[in-house]
Amino acid sequence: MREVRTDAHLHLWDLAGGGYGWLAEAPEALRRNARWDAAAPQLDALGVERVVLVQADDTRADTLAMQEAATAIESSARSRSGATGVQCVDVVAWLPLADPGECARLLGDGTAMAHVVGVRQLIHDDPDPGVLDRAEVRESLGLLAARGLPLDVPDAFPRHLDQAARVAAEVEGLVVVLDHLGKPPLGDVAEMQEWERSLRGVAAQKGTVAKISGLSTSGRGFAASGALRTALDLALEVFGPERLMFGSDWPIAPTPFDLGSGTGPLLELLGELPSEDRAEIMHGTAQRVYRRLSTA
């Protein structure tokens, strides 16, 4: 039976409109437009049928661009009879979590929520290390929970892992999605021990899931050293396959814009798992967690 695959973490951006200030500190090869026509052939080669586009800038402009791309990609797929490749595209959007009134307005606007299946903010770039504990942010997170939208938490280690666990425990009904397994510091034994402690704390909360994505950006020879296997084994132990999902994190990888450089070693390890466990990670978990808002 053919394996259904979802890429639950992929970025697109166009630098012409400004924004994406974090790219100034990124590798030079990454400082160019990330467009669908560059990603699509690589996703097709991987057999991906659904993609979740994830915000990369705390602006409505970034979210609108992803929504427009999602609509165009799906329209193109429908126009090709019997087409293979990506058929469904959804969006993890940015919302102004510090402004619960505006969050409520946007959540009630069907057009503003088109294709939206989750919310994320670049909290690691926020000067307030306690941003998720602020009263107004907690109010917005309650609104997400009420609508069934999960919160993605990016680049969580070491700054926000414990905070993510606390939010999952204290905001009733909120699903917290930990991006990139909280960015394990592969290759650093002491820091890996602290990361493991914090990751176990997140996984102990029933409303948490994690993405196995973005694990190969350090370029430290993690695959050869066994560090990637160590991280994956721990993720399987504490979350189980039914709370894990696969993502490419394209175009961010050891080789920018090369999807295979970031996913190849991981897919080899996932290929060793029982088919039912792999099916959960490659599609099932994302299918349950990332659901479009009802238009009723």
Side-chain angles (χ1 to χ4, degrees), residues 60-203:
R60 282 287 297 150
D62 176 61
T63 292
L64 287 169
M66 289 189 295
Q67 291 172 310
E68 291 171 0
T71 298
I73 295 162
E74 288 190 355
S75 177
S76 177
R78 287 193 297 269
S79 71
R80 302 192 305 273
S81 177
T84 58
V86 174
Q87 306 293 308
C88 178
V89 184
D90 291 306
V91 170
V92 172
W94 174 79
L95 287 182
L97 297 178
D99 185 346
E102 181 64 4
C103 278
R105 186 189 73 79
L106 290 168
L107 287 168
D109 183 336
T111 299
M113 291 295 104
H115 293 274
V116 172
V117 295
V119 171
R120 189 173 92 147
Q121 180 175 309
L122 302 181
I123 60 171
H124 53 290
D125 288 340
D126 195 298
D128 179 3
V131 59
L132 292 178
D133 288 324
R134 287 161 55 183
E136 64 273 22
V137 172
R138 287 295 185 93
E139 184 177 346
S140 293
L141 297 183
L143 295 173
L144 300 188
R147 296 300 302 273
L149 283 176
L151 171 74
D152 269 48
V153 176
D155 291 358
F157 182 79
R159 194 173 181 186
H160 290 110
L161 266 180
D162 293 342
Q163 209 172 139
R166 191 161 58 249
V167 165
E170 295 175 0
V171 181
E172 184 176 357
L174 180 67
V175 174
V176 173
V177 178
L178 185 63
D179 293 346
H180 317 318
L181 274 186
K183 282 293 179 76
L186 302 176
D188 187 314
V189 174
E191 287 197 2
M192 281 290 285
Q193 291 175 344
E194 179 61 18
W195 165 79
E196 177 177 341
R197 180 200 65 77
S198 295
L199 189 76
R200 288 183 181 277
V202 174

Side-chain angles (χ1 to χ4, degrees), residues 4-9 50 52 90 117 148 150 152 175-178 206-212 235-236 239-247 270 273 275-292:
V4 179
R5 291 184 167 184
T6 291
D7 183 342
H9 200 98
R50 182 191 182 198
V52 179
D90 291 306
V117 295
D152 269 48
V175 174
V176 173
V177 178
L178 185 63
K206 64 180 181 180
T208 58
V209 298
K211 290 181 185 176
I212 308 174
L236 287 165
F239 286 100
E242 71 282 355
R243 292 166 62 201
L244 294 173
M245 47 186 156
F246 166 82
L270 292 177
L273 299 179
S275 59
E276 58 270 24
D277 290 352
R278 193 169 61 250
E280 288 292 303
I281 295 169
M282 296 304 299
H283 179 69
T285 302
Q287 189 77 353
R288 291 189 300 274
V289 171
Y290 283 139
R291 296 170 295 172
R292 295 185 190 180

